Amino acid sequence: MTLTDPSITDAAAGAPAPGSGEPTAQAAGGVVHPLPVLRPGTAVDAAALDAAGIPVLDVTIPVYNEEKDLEECVRRLHSHLARTFEHGFRITVADNASTDSTLRVAERLARELPEVRAVHLEQKGRGNALRRVWLASDAPVLAYMDVDLSTDLAALGPLVAPLLSGHSDLAIGTRLARTSRVIRGPKREFVSRSYNFLLHSLMGAGFSDAQCGFKAIRSDVAQQLLPHTLDTAWFFDTELLVLAERCGLRCHEVPVDWTDDPNSKVDVVRTALDDLRGMYRLTTDMARGRIPLVELRGALARGPLPAGERTAEAGRRQSLFGQLARFAAIGIASTLAYAALFVLGREFMDAQASNFAALLITAVANTAANRRFTFGVLGAERLGRHHFEGLIVFGLGWALTAGALAWMHTVADPATWLELGVLIVANLAATAVKFLLFRHWVFRRRT
């Protein structure tokens, strides 16, 4: 079956949500079956859906100019699902305005395999494709994966099982778990870990891997959250996960075996910058009330938010000795993390760029850790202000280290270990001033 963009749009706008009303479906034999109403936290009645001829799982593969890899991907996925998934399924190939023969390949596969359909979209972007296809789908569990099938398909069953049972609302594959097995280059490793580090520090995210192209969501949750997402590209994943977490929903994580695709067309650095802009926009949207989080929590009925989401501040730990001890411990951990990031960054960037990136990442994490553990500040109140002021303090450390690095390069052509030693000394020189600024400015009591 082949659909075009207008069909998807009409379906998303006019079809009832999978959890609304009392829907019915007609099976091949002409018998009308009442379909179960899907509600958050309840198990999917797969038997009723199978009897009605409605797929339990809909896996979307967003593609752009993938004529060479598409057929192999779809056939592998179809074969795997036919062998291992005991209920009805659908594979939706979402063609994002391809200019090669990707759409023709998808249409041919749709004619040959009954469980495959092709959707053509006039606008590019993974977020745009997933939003349109998922809102139009009648399946209770929606998933997506990248066309290169970097993730081992053995993880697909564990990904969707907690959604079928009602235990979880979303599920993500994670490459950052200790039991994950990942093969990828240092540049992708550096960018991915740095981005997730910033997500945890700046937005308080609890999920481990925002960017792995291997995720699933229940349709009742998708119908509520997707209309409030705006991103049309790669930040869509993060936006959806952050909204789900702020609504108190449960996200299940599956450690995956993942092999980097050396022919990937993704511009890693540009994508990372777009993601940072998306973080700023999403934070602003939530702060200004564009997204009705309170109403969404009530509609999705997963209960109160975790204690970490309280907006009131806990009692501050005011003992100077205790603050110094915790500040020192965090400083040692930050220095070790900085050293590791600097050495890793030197694999693909010059010394100044690597120093700036490593210092920025560890500065954000250092501010977050000191905010929580050294000065006892909890909740989201003034979180953005604290990090902004922390970045000003970071500027001092960067000025000292950049100056020391520039001076050293005027004297000699040093080895990486010597660069690192000088930078660590410069960082330690700024530590005392940083503590005073944190204590008396950034995290001081405000009446």
Side-chain angles (χ1 to χ4, degrees), residues 219-239:
S219 63
D220 50 342
V221 172
Q223 293 289 335
Q224 296 284 349
L225 294 184
L226 290 178
H228 301 286
T229 60
L230 297 179
D231 193 80
T232 61
W234 300 97
F235 185 70
F236 169 84
D237 297 53
T238 301
E239 186 173 23

Side-chain angles (χ1 to χ4, degrees), residues 276-414:
L276 291 175
R277 285 190 286 268
M279 288 171 59
Y280 173 79
R281 191 262 304 161
L282 179 58
T283 301
T284 303
D285 285 348
M286 291 190 294
R288 293 176 177 175
R290 183 191 69 80
I291 302 171
L293 293 176
V294 174
E295 291 80 359
L296 287 172
R297 289 181 205 128
L300 294 169
R302 265 292 181 182
L305 290 175
E309 291 293 331
R310 295 191 304 255
T311 57
E313 289 187 350
R316 296 172 184 267
R317 307 171 186 180
Q318 292 300 314
S319 165
L320 177 60
F321 177 79
Q323 287 181 349
L324 283 171
R326 289 187 292 272
F327 181 82
I330 292 171
I332 292 172
S334 296
T335 301
L336 293 175
Y338 165 82
L341 289 170
F342 177 80
V343 172
L344 180 61
R346 287 293 276 123
E347 295 291 328
F348 54 89
M349 62 179 75
D350 62 30
Q352 288 285 8
S354 181
N355 170 56
F356 181 83
L359 199 59
L360 175 61
I361 294 166
T362 52
V364 171
N366 184 281
T367 299
N370 278 300
R371 181 181 189 270
R372 171 65 180 84
F373 298 107
T374 302
F375 299 99
V377 182
L378 302 177
E381 187 177 354
R382 293 199 295 272
L383 176 63
R385 177 172 179 171
H386 287 158
H387 274 290
F388 176 74
E389 292 171 349
L391 287 176
I392 295 176
V393 176
F394 148 76
L396 172 65
W398 176 73
L400 286 172
T401 56
L405 198 61
W407 169 80
M408 185 170 52
H409 277 270
T410 63
V411 176
D413 185 15

Side-chain angles (χ1 to χ4, degrees), residues 141-144 159-160 163 169-172 214-218:
V141 176
L142 312 168
Y144 94 87
L159 187 79
V160 303
L163 308 187
D169 306 294
L170 301 91
I172 65 173
F214 193 71
K215 295 182 174 68
I217 186 172
R218 284 171 60 103

Side-chain angles (χ1 to χ4, degrees), residues 53-364:
I54 295 195
V56 173
L57 172 65
D58 191 345
V59 182
T60 302
I61 304 175
V63 290
Y64 172 72
N65 287 353
E66 297 287 355
E67 60 181 2
K68 294 182 180 178
D69 300 327
L70 178 59
E71 181 165 1
E72 180 185 358
C73 162
V74 171
R75 291 191 182 279
R76 279 182 56 197
L77 176 59
H78 183 274
S79 175
H80 176 81
L81 287 171
R83 291 195 320 270
T84 64
F85 193 70
E86 59 185 15
H87 303 292
F89 65 88
R90 176 191 297 136
I91 299 172
T92 301
V93 180
D95 172 48
N96 302 317
S98 294
T99 58
D100 62 2
S101 61
T102 295
L103 180 59
R104 290 193 292 275
V105 174
E107 290 173 336
R108 175 168 53 79
L109 290 168
R111 289 191 296 269
E112 180 179 341
L113 303 172
E115 294 83 6
V116 175
R117 70 168 179 169
V119 173
H120 178 65
L121 301 161
E122 298 295 340
Q123 182 181 359
K124 288 176 59 178
R126 181 172 74 180
N128 173 67
L130 293 177
R131 186 183 298 108
R132 289 176 177 271
V133 171
W134 281 356
L135 284 173
S137 180
D138 55 351
V141 176
L142 312 168
Y144 94 87
M145 60 184 62
D146 293 332
V147 69
D148 54 22
L149 295 186
S150 295
T151 304
D152 187 349
L153 290 178
L156 185 56
L159 187 79
V160 303
L163 308 187
L164 292 170
S165 69
H167 173 272
S168 299
D169 306 294
L170 301 91
I172 65 173
T174 176
R175 300 161 295 185
L176 304 181
R178 285 180 296 177
T179 53
S180 299
R181 294 184 294 179
V182 177
I183 301 174
R184 60 176 168 182
K187 182 177 180 180
R188 280 180 172 265
E189 184 77 11
F190 179 85
V191 172
S192 177
R193 289 190 178 272
S194 299
Y195 175 64
N196 283 285
F197 208 34
L198 292 176
L199 268 180
H200 298 158
S201 301
L202 293 176
M203 303 195 73
F207 47 86
S208 65
D209 190 352
Q211 296 172 313
C212 181
F214 193 71
K215 295 182 174 68
I217 186 172
R218 284 171 60 103
S219 63
D220 50 342
V221 172
Q223 293 289 335
Q224 296 284 349
L225 294 184
L226 290 178
H228 301 286
T229 60
L230 297 179
D231 193 80
T232 61
W234 300 97
F235 185 70
F236 169 84
D237 297 53
T238 301
E239 186 173 23
L240 184 62
L241 289 171
V242 169
L243 289 183
E245 202 166 62
R246 294 297 175 92
C247 290
L249 299 178
R250 182 174 293 145
C251 182
H252 178 72
E253 298 200 4
V254 179
V256 298
D257 299 338
W258 195 87
T259 303
D260 190 15
D261 177 14
N263 299 316
S264 174
K265 302 180 180 69
V266 178
D267 185 333
V268 178
V269 175
R270 180 179 177 182
T271 299
L273 293 175
D274 289 343
D275 286 343
L276 291 175
R277 285 190 286 268
M279 288 171 59
Y280 173 79
R281 191 262 304 161
L282 179 58
T283 301
T284 303
D285 285 348
M286 291 190 294
R288 293 176 177 175
R290 183 191 69 80
I291 302 171
L293 293 176
V294 174
E295 291 80 359
L296 287 172
R297 289 181 205 128
L300 294 169
R302 265 292 181 182
L305 290 175
E309 291 293 331
R310 295 191 304 255
T311 57
E313 289 187 350
R316 296 172 184 267
R317 307 171 186 180
Q318 292 300 314
S319 165
L320 177 60
F321 177 79
Q323 287 181 349
L324 283 171
R326 289 187 292 272
F327 181 82
I330 292 171
I332 292 172
S334 296
T335 301
L336 293 175
Y338 165 82
L341 289 170
F342 177 80
V343 172
L344 180 61
R346 287 293 276 123
E347 295 291 328
F348 54 89
M349 62 179 75
D350 62 30
Q352 288 285 8
S354 181
N355 170 56
F356 181 83
L359 199 59
L360 175 61
I361 294 166
T362 52
V364 171

